[in-house]
Amino acid sequence: MAPSSYRPPTRGDKAGASTYSQSTDSNLSHTQTTVSKLLEGKGDAVFSVRPNETIHSVVNTLKERRIGAVVVTDQNGTLQGILSERDIVRRMADTPGQTLPQSVEDLMTKDVLSCTPDDLLNDVLKTMTEGRFRHMPVLRDGNLCGVITIGDVVHFRLKELEYEALRMKQMIVG
């Protein structure tokens, strides 16, 4: 039997009270995160190649830099296309033993979807997922200013979640 001073909680006991985890701002904060926020931590290094380079030289660049794609630019740095490991592997299946001497221009994706630093990460992630590609150039006023990967977005979001969990834990304990 409960002590006479015990009173079970009833509806309305915590009326008006909400925890951090229940606020709209906290639950949706990641939906407002922009590409520029991700680039602040990642940096804006972009590895580019020219359209007339060979696939062999690109394969070496991908291996040395430990990256999955390169952007293709002209001599002025204007985006011309993108070339990924996946593009190369598919061509190797189509032209076995003849792929490495081919030019980047022959394999690159010319219709490149890009984003801007002001785009929301959730929108970019949705575009990449629906388009089934993993690399997206970032353009500011038409100029290449970075490349983000689906892995960058996932990693960034995981860090946000870890930070939010830590803050909630501190609020509960503190």
Side-chain angles (χ1 to χ4, degrees):
M1 176 173 240
S4 60
S5 63
Y6 173 76
R7 192 185 91 184
T10 58
R11 211 179 273 270
D13 278 355
K14 295 183 178 181
S18 67
T19 64
Y20 176 78
S21 65
Q22 295 170 330
S23 77
T24 303
D25 288 344
S26 67
N27 287 335
L28 299 176
S29 65
H30 66 278
T31 63
Q32 301 305 312
T33 305
T34 61
V35 170
S36 63
K37 188 77 173 162
L38 185 151
L39 287 177
E40 283 175 20
K42 176 187 175 172
D44 56 3
V46 177
F47 298 104
S48 63
V49 298
R50 301 284 180 264
N52 61 346
E53 289 186 43
T54 65
I55 298 306
H56 186 264
S57 68
V58 171
V59 168
N60 286 330
T61 300
L62 294 172
K63 178 184 160 206
E64 289 166 10
R65 302 289 183 179
R66 300 182 60 154
I67 55 176
V70 291
V71 292
V72 184
T73 60
D74 64 14
Q75 65 276 9
N76 300 319
T78 303
L79 182 65
Q80 301 294 305
I82 192 164
L83 183 64
S84 72
E85 293 169 320
R86 191 180 287 176
D87 297 326
I88 296 168
V89 168
R90 286 183 179 145
R91 181 58 68 98
M92 290 178 103
D94 292 341
T95 60
Q98 303 168 19
T99 306
L100 294 179
Q102 294 178 35
S103 73
V104 167
E105 190 171 32
D106 294 335
L107 270 75
M108 71 181 188
T109 300
K110 295 177 181 159
D111 272 341
V112 181
L113 292 179
S114 63
C115 61
T116 70
D118 297 327
D119 286 339
L120 298 177
L121 279 184
N122 271 11
D123 294 342
V124 171
L125 185 59
K126 184 178 179 186
T127 300
M128 293 171 90
T129 302
E130 288 173 355
R132 299 182 54 82
F133 58 90
R134 298 174 291 173
H135 302 83
M136 184 179 273
V138 183
L139 301 178
R140 180 183 293 119
D141 300 322
N143 298 313
L144 192 59
C145 65
V147 173
I148 62 172
T149 69
I150 203 160
D152 294 333
V153 178
V154 169
H155 179 74
F156 185 86
R157 182 61 186 130
L158 285 174
K159 289 293 183 194
E160 278 187 329
L161 289 171
E162 287 173 8
Y163 177 73
E164 288 172 15
L166 181 61
R167 271 198 348 199
M168 288 184 344
K169 190 176 188 179
Q170 289 171 343
M171 291 176 76
I172 292 168
V173 173

